[in-house]
Each structure stands twice: as C-alpha cells, then as structure tokens.
DNA sequence: CTTATAAATGTTATATTATTACATAGTGTT
DNA sequence: AACACTATGTAATAATATAACATTTATAAG
C-alpha cells in the first residue's frame, strides 16, 4: 500500500524532517539558534533554513511556538488538530513546558465570545507557575 | 493632603512616565524601538532605557506585553489588578488589540487546574480573529 | 543632616531573534 | 515540455533584547 493522502499532506521535506526530529526528541522547547547549531552537521547552515522549516511545521501543527519564550515544542496531541487552539503550562523556575490537553478548557475557550460578539478562529494560552519538582 | 501610600506605590520615575504616557495615548500596541524613536526628543537615547522602563511598567501592571507581537499596550482595567491574568483579542488583518475583561473568563482560568493539579500564579491568553471592521 | 540602601539613569557594546532579497533546484500536474 | 508550486542555498541586514559598568537620584534610618 502506498502513501495515503493524509500522509502526503503531512509528509515533511528534508529540512523539515531534520528539524522536526530534533524538536520532537527534545525534552524541552528549543530556540531557533539552538536548533541551527544542532543541525549544522546535517548541512543546515543558515538561520533562514531553520525559520522556514519552523514556519511550515507550525503551520501544519507538528510543532508549536511558545511565544513568551521564543521557543518551539513538538505537539503531543496526536499531531495537533488543535494547532489553532493551544495551551501550555510553564514552570517559572525550571522552564519545563507542558502542552495542556483539556477538553473542558478547549471547549470553554472555543466558545468564548467577547462583548462585541467577536468570534475567534484561534487562541494561545500560557499558564505560569511552579511545577511539581520546583514546588 | 500629601501623596497617599497607594499613589506612591504607583508613582512613576521620569523615564517610566514618559514612556507610559506615549503607550497610554497610543491607539495601538507599540514596539520597543518605535517607542525609542518617539522619545528621543525627550532625552531617552538608548534601547536599554526603554526596556528598563517597560520592564517596570509591566511589573506594576500599568502596561502589558502582547507576546505574539512583541509590543506593549496600556492596561485599561483600572491599572490592572490582573497584571498576572491577562487576555487579549487580536485582529489578524488590522492588528487591532483589545484587552478582554470578562469576569467569567478570569474566574474560569484562575481556577483552572491541569491533570497534575498544578496551580498557576499567572496566565496570558491571546485570541486571534477578525474584528468588526475587518469582517 | 549623615549614612546607608535601593532604585533609577546614562552610555557603550554586544547578544539574540527574525526577515529581505535573490538565485537555484526539486516536485507534481497537464 | 511547460507550468505552477514548494523547497533550498546563500549573503546581507533588520529587529528585538541584554550585559557590563559608571553615575546619579530617591528613600529610609539613625
Ligand atoms: Zn498541540
Ligand atoms: Zn519546575
Ligand atoms: Zn490589564
Ligand atoms: Zn481588524
């Protein structure tokens, strides 16, 4: 059996795969220039090559950007159907970041409307506190 | 009658006041170097002077940072008692940013606990969509 | 008022994060 | 082949943010 349509949609180019693999196996969010340093041995030499791959990976939901940290983490919600609805917890001591997957939270936020009745197509939520270890 | 304690707590230094005034009268979030450019005539010449004032203003809740935009907006929740609980709506076309003040939302998020029972001391939420004008 | 302390400022240099511009190469479709 | 689209390579530069150090100003205590 060949490559299914859904696989093709999510198939990654060479640079994208290299950079995704690195992020995916990292226990912590990675910054763009940390990524660059770590993939230079694989032939990726310039910042732009990294940023282009990151942009694409974010777009297709394989990774998320932690905005408050300018860092990138792999999605662990089965290749995020919620690329447009992200929530993270961030420890302010050890900087551990965890993707939150809560049906209640997603539902609440997806249905949230402000006073103007503005409906949102996307959100990003970052919680800060102390993780178990650091408490 | 003199300066009350609460006023003193929130009293701003010269640079802080200059920069707060600029942000406060701006209809849109301002970026650090835009601020720098606009206060050079008032004697603030270096990025660090701007960033120091911004740090302090964020700390005391007079302004908030819009993380996804690297820009700063004045707090309009009566000098934010919720500096640690911020929510914004952002128009992806015109980049208009509005601070959301919803008792329901604040309450929901303040009480949110993840699977680990981690309790959070702070959060930042950014909604993205189209504003009235851009729809 | 004097001394001590913390907060703020001024200045230069540098680090970090991200994009512009342009040329080239691969991939899939008709 | 011709076309459109995506991805890559490379150099230069723009935009965002911090380090290090010297000095000054504000606050509080004795
Ligand atoms: Zn995800
Ligand atoms: Zn921790
Ligand atoms: Zn506020
Ligand atoms: Zn708009």
């Amino acid at each position: 059996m060949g490559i299914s349509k859904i696989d093709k949609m999510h198939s990654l180019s060479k640079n994208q795969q290299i950079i995704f693999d690195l992020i995916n196996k990292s226990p912590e969010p990675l910054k763009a220039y940390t990524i660059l340093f770590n993939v230079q041995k694989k032939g990726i030499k310039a910042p732009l090559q990294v940023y282009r791959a990151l942009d694409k990976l974010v777009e297709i939901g394989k990774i998320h950007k932690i905005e408050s940290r300018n860092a990138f983490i792999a999605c662990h919600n089965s290749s995020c159907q919620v690329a447009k609805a992200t929530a993270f917890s961030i420890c302010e001591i050890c900087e551990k970041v965890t993707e939150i997957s809560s049906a209640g939270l997603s539902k609440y936020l997806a249905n949230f409307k402000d006073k103007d009745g503005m409906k949102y197509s996307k959100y990003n939520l970052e919680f800060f506190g102390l993780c178990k270890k650091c408490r």
Side-chain angles (χ1 to χ4, degrees), chain A residues 61 64 75-77 80 82-83 86 99:
Chain A
H64 303 302
C75 176
H76 293 303
N77 281 339
C80 222
V82 288
T86 50
E99 185 167 0

Side-chain angles (χ1 to χ4, degrees), chain A residues 116-127:
Chain A
D116 298 337
M118 182 168 167
K119 185 71 159 42
Y120 305 107
S121 57
K122 192 175 156 191
Y123 66 76
N124 180 58
L125 171 59
E126 296 180 8
F127 281 107

Side-chain angles (χ1 to χ4, degrees), chain A residues 38-135:
Chain A
N38 280 284
V39 296
Q40 278 179 331
K41 55 197 162 225
K42 304 229 176 190
I44 295 175
K45 294 174 194 161
L48 188 49
Q49 295 175 285
V50 173
Y51 281 105
R52 282 196 286 223
L54 290 174
D55 284 351
K56 188 68 183 186
L57 291 167
V58 166
E59 184 190 326
I60 65 182
K62 299 282 286 181
I63 67 172
H64 303 302
K65 182 174 187 180
I66 310 301
E67 292 287 357
S68 67
R69 298 300 187 260
N70 298 318
F72 299 86
I73 191 176
C75 176
H76 293 303
N77 281 339
S78 60
S79 282
C80 222
Q81 279 127 356
V82 288
K84 303 199 161 177
T86 50
F88 305 95
S89 79
I90 303 171
C91 175
E92 292 190 287
I93 303 284
C94 72
E95 292 291 327
K96 177 177 158 66
V97 174
T98 308
E99 185 167 0
I100 295 172
S101 133
S102 156
L105 180 63
S106 320
K107 194 173 175 186
Y108 185 90
L109 293 177
N111 292 321
F112 181 79
K113 290 182 188 62
D114 71 6
K115 290 167 185 166
D116 298 337
M118 182 168 167
K119 185 71 159 42
Y120 305 107
S121 57
K122 192 175 156 191
Y123 66 76
N124 180 58
L125 171 59
E126 296 180 8
F127 281 107
F128 305 89
L130 301 183
C131 75
K132 267 184 181 172
K133 278 190 185 173
C134 296
R135 207 158 18 180

